[in-house]
Amino acid sequence: MTDSVVELATGLRQALTDVFGTLAGLATDEQRREALKTALGDVTPGALLGRLTALGADQAGQLLPTLVTIVARAVLEAAPDWHLEIPGALRVDATHVEVLAPALPSELLFGLRVGAVPITTGVEVHGGIDLALTVPADVTKAALVVTIGGLRLRPPGDALLALLVPGGGPLFEGDVTARADARGVSFDGGGRSGVSLPLKTVPPMLKAPALYLAPRDAAIRLTLSFGASLLGLADATVEGVGAEVAVSGTGVTATPVPADGIGLRLALGPAKGAGYLKHDGDRYAGAMSLGLGVVDVKAFGVLHTSPFSLLAVLSAEFNPPVELGLAFTLNAVGGIVGVGSGGGDEAELVGRAGAGEGEWRPDGVEVVAELVAVDGDGEALH
């Protein structure tokens, strides 16, 4: 591995120059392919992707080499169409090594094209991969451009996301373009630590969608944010759902990344409100407040999506209070609602606090002071 694009270009030019003069005199494609190995290493698309982007960590950062490693492994398994070309001098593909000139030009352009590649479940490179390494006579001006065209993500969903996007997870598609020269590595739409991809394919039912790519240890994380309608009753904003992709012993694998959270906003006639659900382990937990004119409703709950279950503390405050007579008023009511199985989890959902012991505060959204354990049948255990 070299430290910079300049060193990479210098080494490739010298190595190819050393063997190029002998290529035309070799009788078969296999002989020419073997000779090229001394300059380029294995003449396969995955190996060439690694060889032509072999930059040191100080310059490349983490995102580019991790992305290339994952794509190269997927290319190895998929065996897509590909070719390497130095215009006017050399063309190589899966079966042929064609020498087009007796000597190399003073300015080289290594052009590698790899066709569409399925990466793993829910992730693919639909538009193929294009790599261009320019090696001019003044090698200090060498430049590398890598474009992964049509990187597609269909994020894994759950029962809650299915309400927002009926008929399966949405398909997002964007291009990743990395550039490297003597100054370092950059990405269109971001930097070495993360990229916001310009989207080419946007599901029509979604609002303000965005696709993000970032390194995470030896993996890359593809995550989405978008807005959608929740059953036509509320607007929802989803953040951080996607997949984490890495090379494993069995190939390239994807681990689902659940949404960081879902924001809700409701404006339906006189009913107006907002809320937020945050992903917590294998569940969502959050709160919502809803104004209905003379009644303000608040809720705090825990939602499991597989299998479905819901446990919520509700309160309703009357404004003005309801006159009951004899100087009594009904200011608020509250209760607990449970649906389905709680799965044995603890749901921190009962509030009991206030000015004196035993005074019930129905606004359980704001005061959570007791634990209620819920067994596998959804029964509350006090």
Side-chain angles (χ1 to χ4, degrees):
M1 180 170 291
T2 55
D3 291 331
S4 69
V5 172
V6 173
E7 291 180 2
L8 173 64
T10 301
L12 284 171
R13 183 209 288 277
Q14 185 60 55
L16 191 57
T17 299
D18 290 343
V19 302
F20 192 82
T22 66
L23 292 180
L26 297 176
T28 67
D29 289 305
E30 281 304 313
Q31 289 174 336
R32 290 189 285 271
R33 192 179 301 273
E34 284 297 317
L36 276 177
K37 282 187 178 181
T38 62
L40 302 178
D42 285 344
V43 188
T44 59
L48 288 170
L49 276 173
R51 179 70 176 95
L52 297 175
T53 59
L55 303 176
D58 289 344
Q59 181 174 43
Q62 186 179 1
L63 179 55
L64 179 59
T66 303
L67 188 58
V68 168
T69 298
I70 290 171
V71 172
R73 179 60 182 269
V75 166
L76 176 65
E77 297 181 359
D81 291 337
W82 67 277
H83 67 266
L84 171 70
E85 185 171 6
I86 300 175
L90 182 69
R91 180 181 170 88
V92 184
D93 59 26
T95 57
H96 298 96
V97 177
E98 186 178 2
V99 180
L100 306 175
L104 289 172
S106 60
E107 180 167 320
L108 300 180
L109 172 60
F110 292 85
L112 177 64
R113 167 68 185 174
V114 181
V117 181
I119 302 297
T120 186
T121 303
V123 183
E124 65 174 307
V125 177
H126 179 68
I129 304 152
D130 290 286
L131 181 151
L133 175 61
T134 304
V135 187
D138 181 1
V139 76
T140 62
K141 297 180 180 179
L144 171 68
V145 179
V146 182
T147 298
I148 298 175
L151 180 61
R152 287 183 169 182
L153 171 65
R154 191 182 298 275
D158 56 26
L160 184 57
L161 291 178
L163 295 176
L164 301 176
V165 190
L171 177 67
F172 291 75
E173 179 180 333
D175 293 343
V176 182
T177 300
R179 306 174 189 276
D181 56 25
R183 295 169 295 180
V185 174
S186 63
F187 285 82
D188 291 2
R192 299 191 306 177
S193 60
V195 181
S196 176
L197 304 186
L199 291 176
K200 300 167 64 176
T201 299
V202 178
M205 77 288 289
L206 303 183
K207 305 173 184 176
L211 176 59
Y212 303 98
L213 174 69
R216 186 177 178 89
D217 298 327
I220 58 169
R221 179 168 284 198
L222 283 158
T223 54
L224 307 165
S225 66
F226 57 87
S229 174
L230 179 59
L231 303 177
L233 302 176
D235 291 328
T237 301
V238 180
E239 302 173 352
V241 64
E244 189 168 294
V245 183
V247 173
S248 67
T250 58
V252 181
T253 58
T255 303
V257 176
D260 293 333
I262 300 176
L264 300 171
R265 185 179 62 187
L266 175 68
L268 192 64
K272 293 179 172 57
Y276 188 77
L277 294 174
K278 180 175 178 59
H279 190 265
D280 178 21
D282 61 348
R283 64 185 187 177
Y284 291 94
M288 187 165 187
S289 179
L290 182 64
L292 300 171
V294 297
V295 179
D296 291 330
V297 178
K298 298 178 182 179
F300 179 86
V302 173
L303 170 68
H304 291 261
T305 60
S306 181
F308 179 82
S309 65
L310 172 68
L311 188 63
V313 171
L314 302 173
S315 72
E317 299 181 5
F318 302 101
N319 185 22
V322 178
E323 296 288 343
L324 300 178
L326 300 177
F328 287 96
T329 61
L330 178 62
N331 292 3
V333 295
I336 303 174
V337 175
V339 179
S341 169
D345 291 335
E346 291 184 342
E348 321 71 76
L349 296 176
V350 174
R352 187 186 300 273
E357 176 66 22
E359 178 183 348
W360 172 248
R361 289 284 300 279
D363 52 340
V365 176
E366 299 174 2
V367 182
V368 179
E370 279 187 22
L371 295 179
V372 173
V374 182
D375 70 10
D377 297 322
E379 299 291 335
L381 305 176
H382 296 277

Tab-separated table of all heavy atoms in Angstrom, residues 265-275 288-299 315-317 319:
chain	number	residue	atom	x	y	z
A	265	ARG	N	-46.546	14.526	13.892
A	265	ARG	CA	-47.245	15.803	13.980
A	265	ARG	C	-48.640	15.621	13.400
A	265	ARG	O	-48.800	15.101	12.298
A	265	ARG	CB	-46.495	16.884	13.199
A	265	ARG	CG	-47.115	18.285	13.339
A	265	ARG	CD	-46.313	19.297	12.558
A	265	ARG	NE	-46.324	18.977	11.130
A	265	ARG	CZ	-45.593	19.627	10.228
A	265	ARG	NH1	-44.772	20.579	10.597
A	265	ARG	NH2	-45.658	19.286	8.954
A	266	LEU	N	-49.644	16.068	14.161
A	266	LEU	CA	-51.035	15.883	13.769
A	266	LEU	C	-51.735	17.232	13.709
A	266	LEU	O	-51.623	18.050	14.621
A	266	LEU	CB	-51.751	14.972	14.774
A	266	LEU	CG	-53.256	14.774	14.585
A	266	LEU	CD1	-53.515	13.991	13.304
A	266	LEU	CD2	-53.857	14.048	15.781
A	267	ALA	N	-52.445	17.465	12.613
A	267	ALA	CA	-53.286	18.658	12.476
A	267	ALA	C	-54.508	18.241	11.672
A	267	ALA	O	-54.540	18.318	10.450
A	267	ALA	CB	-52.537	19.788	11.787
A	268	LEU	N	-55.521	17.742	12.371
A	268	LEU	CA	-56.715	17.198	11.742
A	268	LEU	C	-57.935	17.883	12.337
A	268	LEU	O	-58.405	17.520	13.405
A	268	LEU	CB	-56.771	15.686	11.967
A	268	LEU	CG	-57.788	14.896	11.164
A	268	LEU	CD1	-57.486	14.976	9.673
A	268	LEU	CD2	-57.808	13.447	11.615
A	269	GLY	N	-58.426	18.910	11.632
A	269	GLY	CA	-59.533	19.691	12.167
A	269	GLY	C	-59.124	20.366	13.459
A	269	GLY	O	-58.051	20.987	13.538
A	270	PRO	N	-59.949	20.210	14.509
A	270	PRO	CA	-59.591	20.839	15.791
A	270	PRO	C	-58.493	20.106	16.543
A	270	PRO	O	-57.954	20.619	17.519
A	270	PRO	CB	-60.904	20.777	16.582
A	270	PRO	CG	-61.615	19.584	16.009
A	270	PRO	CD	-61.261	19.543	14.560
A	271	ALA	N	-58.159	18.897	16.111
A	271	ALA	CA	-57.134	18.107	16.803
A	271	ALA	C	-55.749	18.496	16.309
A	271	ALA	O	-55.451	18.398	15.118
A	271	ALA	CB	-57.385	16.623	16.571
A	272	LYS	N	-54.914	18.935	17.233
A	272	LYS	CA	-53.542	19.328	16.904
A	272	LYS	C	-52.609	18.803	17.978
A	272	LYS	O	-52.907	18.881	19.173
A	272	LYS	CB	-53.415	20.849	16.802
A	272	LYS	CG	-54.165	21.461	15.635
A	272	LYS	CD	-54.006	22.966	15.607
A	272	LYS	CE	-54.602	23.557	14.332
A	272	LYS	NZ	-56.027	23.216	14.147
A	273	GLY	N	-51.466	18.245	17.527
A	273	GLY	CA	-50.527	17.724	18.509
A	273	GLY	C	-49.243	17.247	17.870
A	273	GLY	O	-49.057	17.319	16.656
A	274	ALA	N	-48.355	16.749	18.716
A	274	ALA	CA	-47.061	16.274	18.256
A	274	ALA	C	-46.521	15.258	19.249
A	274	ALA	O	-46.957	15.204	20.409
A	274	ALA	CB	-46.079	17.429	18.090
A	275	GLY	N	-45.555	14.449	18.776
A	275	GLY	CA	-44.954	13.467	19.657
A	275	GLY	C	-43.681	12.925	19.056
A	275	GLY	O	-43.286	13.284	17.941
A	288	MET	N	-46.645	11.656	23.488
A	288	MET	CA	-47.400	12.467	22.544
A	288	MET	C	-48.387	13.327	23.305
A	288	MET	O	-48.935	12.916	24.332
A	288	MET	CB	-48.147	11.583	21.536
A	288	MET	CG	-48.827	12.377	20.429
A	288	MET	SD	-49.327	11.336	19.050
A	288	MET	CE	-49.861	12.626	17.889
A	289	SER	N	-48.581	14.529	22.802
A	289	SER	CA	-49.553	15.457	23.375
A	289	SER	C	-50.497	15.895	22.272
A	289	SER	O	-50.069	16.208	21.163
A	289	SER	CB	-48.830	16.675	23.975
A	289	SER	OG	-49.754	17.587	24.505
A	290	LEU	N	-51.801	15.883	22.597
A	290	LEU	CA	-52.813	16.175	21.593
A	290	LEU	C	-53.867	17.116	22.168
A	290	LEU	O	-54.439	16.848	23.233
A	290	LEU	CB	-53.477	14.872	21.128
A	290	LEU	CG	-54.545	14.967	20.048
A	290	LEU	CD1	-53.929	15.483	18.755
A	290	LEU	CD2	-55.199	13.603	19.826
A	291	GLY	N	-54.088	18.237	21.494
A	291	GLY	CA	-55.103	19.185	21.911
A	291	GLY	C	-56.381	18.992	21.116
A	291	GLY	O	-56.371	18.987	19.885
A	292	LEU	N	-57.517	18.832	21.837
A	292	LEU	CA	-58.821	18.629	21.196
A	292	LEU	C	-59.797	19.738	21.571
A	292	LEU	O	-60.987	19.504	21.751
A	292	LEU	CB	-59.394	17.262	21.590
A	292	LEU	CG	-58.554	16.041	21.206
A	292	LEU	CD1	-59.121	14.778	21.831
A	292	LEU	CD2	-58.510	15.901	19.686
A	293	GLY	N	-59.311	20.925	21.700
A	293	GLY	CA	-60.168	22.040	22.084
A	293	GLY	C	-60.331	22.102	23.586
A	293	GLY	O	-59.476	22.639	24.294
A	294	VAL	N	-61.396	21.506	24.100
A	294	VAL	CA	-61.661	21.556	25.537
A	294	VAL	C	-60.939	20.449	26.294
A	294	VAL	O	-60.998	20.410	27.529
A	294	VAL	CB	-63.181	21.462	25.808
A	294	VAL	CG1	-63.902	22.663	25.209
A	294	VAL	CG2	-63.750	20.158	25.271
A	295	VAL	N	-60.292	19.541	25.596
A	295	VAL	CA	-59.587	18.431	26.242
A	295	VAL	C	-58.151	18.362	25.714
A	295	VAL	O	-57.930	18.409	24.503
A	295	VAL	CB	-60.294	17.080	25.976
A	295	VAL	CG1	-59.522	15.945	26.655
A	295	VAL	CG2	-61.721	17.104	26.460
A	296	ASP	N	-57.189	18.256	26.630
A	296	ASP	CA	-55.795	18.022	26.266
A	296	ASP	C	-55.435	16.592	26.649
A	296	ASP	O	-55.562	16.208	27.828
A	296	ASP	CB	-54.859	18.987	26.991
A	296	ASP	CG	-55.027	20.421	26.499
A	296	ASP	OD1	-55.367	20.586	25.318
A	296	ASP	OD2	-54.827	21.348	27.298
A	297	VAL	N	-55.017	15.801	25.672
A	297	VAL	CA	-54.688	14.398	25.899
A	297	VAL	C	-53.176	14.225	25.835
A	297	VAL	O	-52.522	14.740	24.920
A	297	VAL	CB	-55.363	13.491	24.840
A	297	VAL	CG1	-54.975	12.028	25.068
A	297	VAL	CG2	-56.868	13.654	24.892
A	298	LYS	N	-52.645	13.497	26.798
A	298	LYS	CA	-51.216	13.187	26.817
A	298	LYS	C	-51.041	11.685	26.964
A	298	LYS	O	-51.860	11.014	27.600
A	298	LYS	CB	-50.501	13.909	27.963
A	298	LYS	CG	-50.556	15.426	27.857
A	298	LYS	CD	-49.884	16.083	29.046
A	298	LYS	CE	-49.981	17.603	28.947
A	298	LYS	NZ	-49.353	18.275	30.119
A	299	ALA	N	-49.967	11.172	26.379
A	299	ALA	CA	-49.715	9.737	26.454
A	299	ALA	C	-48.221	9.480	26.505
A	299	ALA	O	-47.434	10.202	25.908
A	299	ALA	CB	-50.322	9.026	25.246
A	315	SER	N	-53.658	10.345	29.801
A	315	SER	CA	-54.332	11.317	30.660
A	315	SER	C	-55.104	12.296	29.794
A	315	SER	O	-54.707	12.588	28.662
A	315	SER	CB	-53.325	12.069	31.537
A	315	SER	OG	-52.566	12.980	30.759
A	316	ALA	N	-56.235	12.760	30.315
A	316	ALA	CA	-57.047	13.769	29.633
A	316	ALA	C	-57.361	14.871	30.626
A	316	ALA	O	-57.922	14.609	31.701
A	316	ALA	CB	-58.336	13.158	29.095
A	317	GLU	N	-56.978	16.084	30.291
A	317	GLU	CA	-57.219	17.248	31.141
A	317	GLU	C	-58.284	18.121	30.497
A	317	GLU	O	-58.193	18.445	29.307
A	317	GLU	CB	-55.930	18.038	31.342
A	317	GLU	CG	-54.834	17.242	32.025
A	317	GLU	CD	-53.575	18.057	32.234
A	317	GLU	OE1	-53.607	19.273	31.926
A	317	GLU	OE2	-52.576	17.494	32.698
A	319	ASN	N	-60.409	21.533	29.991
A	319	ASN	CA	-60.177	22.976	30.069
A	319	ASN	C	-61.353	23.704	29.402
A	319	ASN	O	-61.426	23.743	28.181
A	319	ASN	CB	-58.861	23.329	29.369
A	319	ASN	CG	-58.492	24.795	29.515
A	319	ASN	OD1	-58.959	25.450	30.433
A	319	ASN	ND2	-57.672	25.288	28.600
